Amino acid sequence: MAVSGASGGGQVLSLDTLVRLRRGMRTSAAPRRLPVPEGMTIPLGCDAVAVPARFGPLILPRLPRVGCVYADDAHWWWIVPSDSDYALEWPASARYVTGAVVPEAPRLIHRPAGTVPYTPPIPLYLALCRVMGTTPTWTKHISA
């Protein structure tokens, strides 16, 4: 998918370029990243998915593998590999956060065995859709 200026002679931007531009526009002066526990590595980068806290306990048992999960009074946060939002429309009640930058420092409530903090994004997406009563949508087209 590409977007061009309204004048017809403008530069054509790919979806990848638009996503990178959007991510580069962050204005937060003091970002707080979710801390990855000591001894864990993030070879695929790190993003996070937040859901209202009331859904967290309903989602957790539906996942085949659970990575690091954090919680505060309002949200539960799952660490996922970077760009797990590519070609997915996460449910409206969920919030996808690039770089795992959060407004406040939630507490770690689940740490997986092993050295990787990720929850697989597709099972998380499907569990979120199921619990939130939304139909999964695969509407963004991906070019090879």
Side-chain angles (χ1 to χ4, degrees):
M1 177 178 170
V3 177
S4 64
S7 63
Q11 180 181 7
V12 175
L13 301 175
S14 71
L15 180 59
D16 289 337
T17 302
L18 292 172
V19 168
R20 276 194 290 279
L21 287 171
R22 184 191 82 208
R23 289 180 178 168
M25 294 174 58
R26 277 193 219 121
T27 58
S28 177
R32 294 181 185 108
R33 295 181 189 270
L34 288 173
V36 175
E38 188 174 328
M40 296 194 125
T41 62
I42 49 172
L44 302 175
C46 195
D47 289 346
V49 177
V51 299
R54 70 183 182 276
F55 293 122
L58 302 173
I59 294 167
L60 203 57
R62 295 176 183 269
L63 298 172
R65 180 189 186 288
V66 179
C68 287
V69 181
Y70 299 81
D72 57 29
D73 292 337
H75 297 93
W76 280 34
W77 304 81
W78 277 266
I79 291 184
V80 295
S82 290
D83 299 322
S84 294
D85 61 334
Y86 189 73
L88 288 178
E89 291 186 22
W90 291 84
S93 296
R95 185 171 58 184
Y96 189 89
V97 183
T98 58
V101 176
V102 297
E104 295 185 26
R107 68 191 181 289
L108 180 66
I109 61 169
H110 181 269
R111 179 190 170 145
T115 61
V116 238
Y118 304 124
T119 296
I122 300 300
L124 177 59
Y125 172 77
L126 294 172
L128 286 173
C129 288
R130 176 76 172 194
V131 168
M132 294 179 177
T134 62
T135 302
T137 56
W138 313 95
T139 60
K140 294 182 185 176
H141 299 285
I142 302 173
S143 61

